[in-house]
């Protein structure tokens, strides 16, 4: 999710500052001070604060101000919160936490997708598996990332579990973070591409056990690589 215009510019300053701890829990911000510091109107400040409140990063109260909330209150599934945390010193912990979440959810989602995917979703997964193979060979990481995000989001959607489907943007933020912070190999590993093809084939064949195992191997491999790189 990208926030456009002046509210987006203000969020791009405040969000990372909160996520990194530069503005720690309990910090009180004043609307008039933000207006003056960033040269924006009261309307822009209100819109940015409204978005931050939706993420539960801040709480705004009359005669108190805009207060940074405890980390335990944050909407840690919000893609922007994930992006901001990945940009700071919290990156390693954030990536490990999200890797564990993927390991808990994605294999189960793949098994459900094998049972419930529509014909269109099965065809799309097959096509994406081919695209992943081609872009990996070409070492086109930007296009590979786009197809990889769609592949995993499609599996989550095809599970027909609305809770799993809602995590598509979260998984996308993880995959994007790994690429942006150079935690992906220059050319995706052939075994990982083969496993994506296996997930697609298993979903198309309605083989829940095979789909679950292949996806588990993908996510376990990604987590192992990540731990090795982060030390």
């Amino acid at each position: 999710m990208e926030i456009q215009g002046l509210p987006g510019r203000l969020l791009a300053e405040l969000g990372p500052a909160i996520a990194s701890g530069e503005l720690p829990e309990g910090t009180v911000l004043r609307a008039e001070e933000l207006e003056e510091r960033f040269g924006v109107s009261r309307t822009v400040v209100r819109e940015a604060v409204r978005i931050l409140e939706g993420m539960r990063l801040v709480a705004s109260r009359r005669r108190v101000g805009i207060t940074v909330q405890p980390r335990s209150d944050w909407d840690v599934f919000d893609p922007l919160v994930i992006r901001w945390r990945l940009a700071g010193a919290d990156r390693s912990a954030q990536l490990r936490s999200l890797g564990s979440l993927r390991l808990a959810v994605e294999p189960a989602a793949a098994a459900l997708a094998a049972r419930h995917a529509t014909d269109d979703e099965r065809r799309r997964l097959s096509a994406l598996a081919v695209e992943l193979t081609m872009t990996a060979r070409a070492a086109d990481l930007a296009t590979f990332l786009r197809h990889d995000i769609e592949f995993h989001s499609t599996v989550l959607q095809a599970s027909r579990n609305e809770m799993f489907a809602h995590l598509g943007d979260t998984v996308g933020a993880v995959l994007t973070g790994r690429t942006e912070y150079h935690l992906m190999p220059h050319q995706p590993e052939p075994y990982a591409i083969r496993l994506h093809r296996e997930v697609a084939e298993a979903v198309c064949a309605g083989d829940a056990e095979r789909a679950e195992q292949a996806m588990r191997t993908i996510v376990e491999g990604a987590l192992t690589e990540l731990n090795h790189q982060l030390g």
Side-chain angles (χ1 to χ4, degrees):
M1 178 182 68
E2 293 288 347
I3 310 300
Q4 302 298 322
L6 290 175
R9 286 171 52 193
L10 184 54
L11 282 173
E13 295 284 345
L14 294 178
I18 294 170
S20 69
E22 180 184 339
L23 293 175
E25 172 188 343
T27 299
V28 177
L29 307 170
R30 306 289 180 187
E32 55 272 19
E33 293 172 357
L34 293 175
E35 292 173 49
E36 182 176 350
R37 177 181 172 187
F38 294 102
V40 295
S41 68
R42 179 63 59 92
T43 300
V44 168
V45 170
R46 284 176 177 163
E47 176 64 14
V49 169
R50 182 188 65 79
I51 294 169
L52 290 172
E53 284 185 303
M55 300 172 181
R56 301 196 294 276
L57 268 64
V58 303
S60 181
R61 295 182 179 84
R62 187 173 298 178
R63 291 191 290 273
V64 174
I66 304 154
T67 307
V68 176
Q69 297 300 288
R71 187 178 297 261
S72 57
D73 288 353
W74 297 355
D75 179 4
V76 294
F77 293 103
D78 188 287
L80 275 180
V81 175
I82 292 171
R83 183 184 305 177
W84 293 335
R85 292 180 71 187
L86 288 176
D90 197 26
R91 182 181 306 153
S92 296
Q94 171 78 140
L95 284 168
R96 287 189 173 101
S97 176
L98 290 165
S100 296
L101 173 69
R102 292 185 64 197
L103 186 56
V105 170
E106 290 198 71
L112 289 171
R115 299 186 181 102
H116 303 300
T118 65
D119 288 343
D120 283 345
E121 287 166 337
R122 296 178 200 274
R123 282 191 290 269
R124 188 57 189 149
L125 285 174
S126 294
L128 285 167
V130 173
E131 294 288 351
L132 287 169
T133 301
M134 294 172 61
T135 53
R137 287 174 181 165
D140 181 357
L141 286 185
T143 307
F144 180 89
L145 172 63
R146 189 168 67 251
H147 291 319
D148 198 23
I149 289 172
E150 186 179 353
F151 184 94
H152 288 273
S153 295
T154 300
V155 170
L156 291 165
Q157 186 68 44
S159 73
R160 303 275 85 83
N161 180 305
E162 70 277 10
M163 303 296 286
F164 288 176
H166 192 67
L167 292 174
D169 287 344
T170 300
V171 171
V174 181
L175 296 172
T176 300
R178 287 178 59 205
T179 298
E180 287 182 348
Y181 294 105
H182 309 292
L183 297 170
M184 282 282 288
H186 175 67
Q187 188 164 12
E189 298 290 349
Y191 83 89
I193 307 306
R194 175 180 56 77
L195 286 166
H196 281 74
R197 290 199 301 268
E198 189 167 341
V199 169
E201 290 167 4
V203 169
C204 289
D207 189 337
E209 183 177 351
R210 183 183 169 205
E212 179 175 4
Q213 185 54 54
M215 183 63 83
R216 184 177 305 282
T217 305
I218 288 172
V219 183
E220 284 179 343
L223 192 53
T224 298
E225 286 177 10
L226 181 66
N227 286 328
H228 177 72
Q229 291 165 328
L230 295 175

